[in-house]
Structure formats: structure tokens, C-alpha cells
Amino acid sequence: LGGSPGNFGVLTHVTLKVYRDEDHPNSRGLRAQYLYSRDRLKRLLDVMMDMVDDNDFPGDYDYCISVVSSCCLLLPLFTPGMDSVDERMRRLHPELFGVDKQFLWPKTILVYAQWANLGGVQQQYNPEFFNKIKAAGGIPLLGIPVDDDVHKNMSELTTHWIWQNTREFDLPYIRRAGFSNSTTLRADGWTDWVSDRIDLIQSDAFNECKVAVQIQPYGGSNSQTFKHRLDGDTSISWRDSNILCGLDCFHYPDAKAKAAAEQWQAGNDAEGVGHPNAKFCMEDRRLLSFSHDLDLDPVHKHYYDNDPAKYRRLCDIKRYWDPERVFTPNAFCVGGILNPVRTANPTLIDDRQMAPRL
């Protein structure tokens, strides 16, 4: 089921579409790291509004801003209560856990941008937009490892947009991520508001919380996400959105830190989404890939547009092809846990029973 979370199935065919570097002979990229400050973040977001406000902005451009709190990956090894699942996996199964390439960093703003040269060899590159980003960011840390002053192959550029560690922080976290279709973010003061919200965590050295933020434009008439909204190939929703904002709040494992993270996210929810005066979006548009719910059925309207028609159609497909719900591992699935799979005893199969076999 396209756009359906939490379902297991049998994979029978894979089709790969290969993109060739020679079709993008003048592609450019920018990757830079800056010391965090609230004002610097605001300036970089204001440049992003140039993309969001212009419905005809060229589809060649991508621009992502990430904000992360400071980190030292050695600290959890010596901090009581920090022997997390991540730490045990790192220690006991290093071949599965992966390799961390960075062990220490300050409060940081990371900027990723690219120009994909979709028009090929005849298309000329204009550095004006990247120059705005550089001016807003100011002096970077450790120079600019990827700069737009020279061509880089798309196959190489894409390797630079990946976080180099297994996770941002080896801590539990409270997640939020959503789309917005607002055309008045700048006028509504959203860049000020979200900068202030992030700074509440970044400026408090004693709250035992850490942020990992990603903000990226998605929309406009030239966006592939928007262009494919009517092709019917998948049930992916909210294709008329123009920006994505992900706000993850990691916290130390004690109750006080968890409560602080929950309170911060509750403020983001109350002020940011779901009502006419919301700073980010009047709807509460959530992403299946960055979900924070455990039971899909009661909250499906936040994940699927054209409600209730699209979700009901997905439920019908699920019911037809999987009437016994064999491929239903948990409640965050189309249809929730209605008519759950039962064993002979009969006991509901839940994640705790299935996990050892996965």
C-alpha cells in the first residue's frame, strides 16, 4: 500500500530508476556548518522564505537547514542512567550498529543546498541564491567543505546530505514533524516564532534536552512532489505543501528531562498547528515517515488528505488483500488493530511477542 505505514509484506519485484551525472553537467552544491545563534538561524530561514513565497521558484534548487545541540558521544559511557539501547547495541553488536564519524560538536547550524542543473548542458548557473545563504550564515566553522564555486557531480553531492553518525544523540526523544501549505509564513512571523521555540532549548544549559531540527522547502509549481500529486501512483498526502519542519527533542532519561521535552513539544503543537491562528499551518499535517503516534486509526486525518475518502479506500484495499491481518505488526497501520490477528490460545499478537522473531 503506497503511503501505508507499519505493514509487512512479501517483496517480489524491485524497479530502479538511475539518474546519470552526465545529465547534470553543471550541478552545484553548498554544505556549511555555523556556530548556532538565534539571529543567524532567523537570517537563514528568511532566505528560505524566498523559496517558499515564490510559487515559480526553479525546481533545480534544494535548501535544508538543520539545527543540533552540542554533543559529546563519550559522555553517556560515564553518566549514570545513560546505558541506553543504543549504547548496548554499539557495545555488543558494532557490526550492526554502524560507525560514528563525529564524536564532538558545538551547538550548530548545518546548511545543505544544491542546484541540480535539470536543464542540462545549455543551462547556466546563477550563484545569486547561494550567495544569499552565505551572507546570512556569515563565517562558517572549518571553512566550506562543499562550495558552489565549482561543479560537483550529483552522485557526489548526495553523499554530503547524509548525517554521518548513526543517530544525532543516543537518547530517547519526543518527535514532531509536519508540512505546511501556508502562503503567509513570512507575514505571520513564523521565522521569528520557530527561531524563538528552538532557542528555548538551545539557550538553556540545564534542561537536559537537545534538539535536532530539519527545515526544508518542498513546494511550488516546479516541485516534483507537487507535480506528481494527481498521477495516482501512491497515496502519499499533503502534496500541495510548500515546507517541511521537523522538531525532535531528545532528553536525558530522567522524568524531569522527559517532562521538559514534552512541555516544549506541547507548546509547539498549541501555537504552531491546527487552528486559524497557528503560526505554521492551520491544519495539523503529519508525516508517516516521522510519525509520533502509536495508533493510526483515531488520528488518520492528520496523515491522509482527502479525508475520509482516501483512508477508507486504503482500509478497503487492506481488508481485501489481508483479511486475516497477517501483515499487521502493530496499531500504527491502516485500519488500526480492528479484527486483530489471533493465535490458537487466543492471544493478541503484539510487538513484544513479534519482536524477537523479526
Side-chain angles (χ1 to χ4, degrees):
L1 296 176
S4 170
N7 289 294
F8 293 127
V10 178
L11 184 65
T12 60
H13 296 79
V14 175
T15 301
L16 299 178
K17 180 178 180 180
V18 178
Y19 292 90
R20 306 183 306 167
D21 283 336
E22 52 263 40
D23 294 334
H24 310 270
N26 199 28
S27 54
R28 308 295 176 104
L30 174 67
R31 176 176 177 171
Q33 181 177 352
Y34 302 95
L35 278 175
Y36 167 81
S37 77
R38 186 265 182 206
D39 291 342
R40 174 174 280 134
L41 174 60
K42 168 68 164 53
R43 292 195 302 269
L44 289 165
L45 286 171
D46 284 340
V47 174
M48 186 176 287
M49 291 301 100
D50 291 345
M51 291 182 69
V52 175
D53 290 346
D54 185 354
N55 190 57
D56 197 37
F57 203 88
D60 307 75
Y61 288 95
D62 289 289
Y63 176 28
C64 177
I65 297 172
S66 292
V67 183
V68 290
S69 300
S70 59
C71 181
C72 177
L73 291 181
L74 299 178
L75 289 178
L77 300 177
F78 307 104
T79 305
M82 293 294 289
D83 188 27
S84 64
V85 173
D86 280 330
E87 286 301 320
R88 293 195 293 274
M89 281 293 294
R90 187 201 306 272
R91 188 172 63 252
L92 300 175
H93 302 285
E95 74 285 359
L96 298 176
F97 185 80
V99 177
D100 286 332
K101 295 186 177 182
Q102 286 187 280
F103 294 90
L104 178 71
W105 60 83
K107 297 175 184 178
T108 297
I109 301 173
L110 292 164
V111 168
Y112 310 90
Q114 74 178 19
W115 182 74
N117 184 207
L118 299 178
V121 68
Q122 301 299 324
Q123 188 180 18
Q124 297 298 311
Y125 172 61
N126 183 343
E128 180 181 354
F129 183 66
F130 279 31
N131 288 341
K132 288 183 179 180
I133 297 173
K134 291 178 181 179
I139 301 174
L141 288 170
L142 306 175
I144 300 179
V146 179
D147 204 340
D148 67 317
D149 56 355
V150 294
H151 158 68
K152 285 191 181 297
N153 288 330
M154 289 297 294
S155 59
E156 180 184 354
L157 286 175
T158 53
T159 66
H160 288 285
W161 314 148
I162 301 171
W163 181 256
Q164 297 297 310
N165 285 16
T166 52
R167 287 182 64 188
E168 294 94 337
F169 307 101
D170 295 344
L171 294 168
Y173 60 94
I174 310 297
R175 162 160 283 174
R176 292 293 186 274
F179 282 125
S180 174
N181 64 340
S182 173
T183 59
T184 60
L185 289 178
R186 191 195 298 267
D188 293 341
W190 176 76
T191 58
D192 264 316
W193 175 82
V194 75
S195 297
D196 288 341
R197 295 300 302 173
I198 293 168
D199 200 57
L200 283 176
I201 300 295
Q202 292 285 70
S203 63
D204 187 343
F206 303 102
N207 59 16
E208 297 185 332
C209 293
K210 296 178 180 292
V211 293
V213 174
Q214 284 187 307
I215 304 174
Q216 183 173 359
Y218 263 76
S221 61
N222 298 308
S223 163
Q224 294 299 313
T225 302
F226 179 77
K227 285 183 175 181
H228 290 285
R229 70 196 186 283
L230 300 178
D231 59 17
D233 286 344
T234 75
S235 61
I236 296 173
S237 294
W238 312 128
R239 287 180 177 268
D240 64 330
S241 300
N242 52 36
I243 190 170
L244 163 70
C245 180
L247 302 169
D248 289 349
C249 189
F250 293 76
H251 60 85
Y252 280 59
D254 58 274
K256 179 181 177 182
K258 181 180 180 181
E262 291 175 336
Q263 182 179 13
W264 183 72
Q265 292 289 24
N268 297 336
D269 293 341
E271 299 176 22
V273 297
H275 55 85
N277 296 319
K279 287 292 186 179
F280 185 59
C281 186
M282 289 191 290
E283 296 176 280
D284 186 353
R285 298 180 165 203
R286 305 176 191 176
L287 285 77
L288 295 171
S289 53
F290 298 96
S291 59
H292 61 270
D293 296 291
L294 298 178
D295 189 349
L296 179 62
D297 206 53
V299 294
H300 69 264
K301 69 178 182 178
H302 299 305
Y303 293 92
Y304 295 95
D305 54 20
N306 193 23
D307 185 63
K310 178 185 287 187
Y311 185 71
R312 287 179 178 174
R313 179 169 175 248
L314 288 169
C315 288
D316 289 342
I317 295 171
K318 170 76 172 178
R319 193 176 300 113
Y320 180 83
W321 289 104
D322 188 16
E324 300 299 324
R325 304 182 68 78
V326 173
F327 298 117
T328 303
N330 54 54
F332 196 72
C333 292
V334 167
I337 55 173
L338 299 176
N339 305 313
V341 182
R342 295 187 179 274
T343 59
N345 45 23
T347 304
L348 179 65
I349 296 178
D350 62 19
D351 285 347
R352 288 168 295 180
Q353 292 171 286
M354 295 186 72
R357 289 178 276 163
L358 299 181

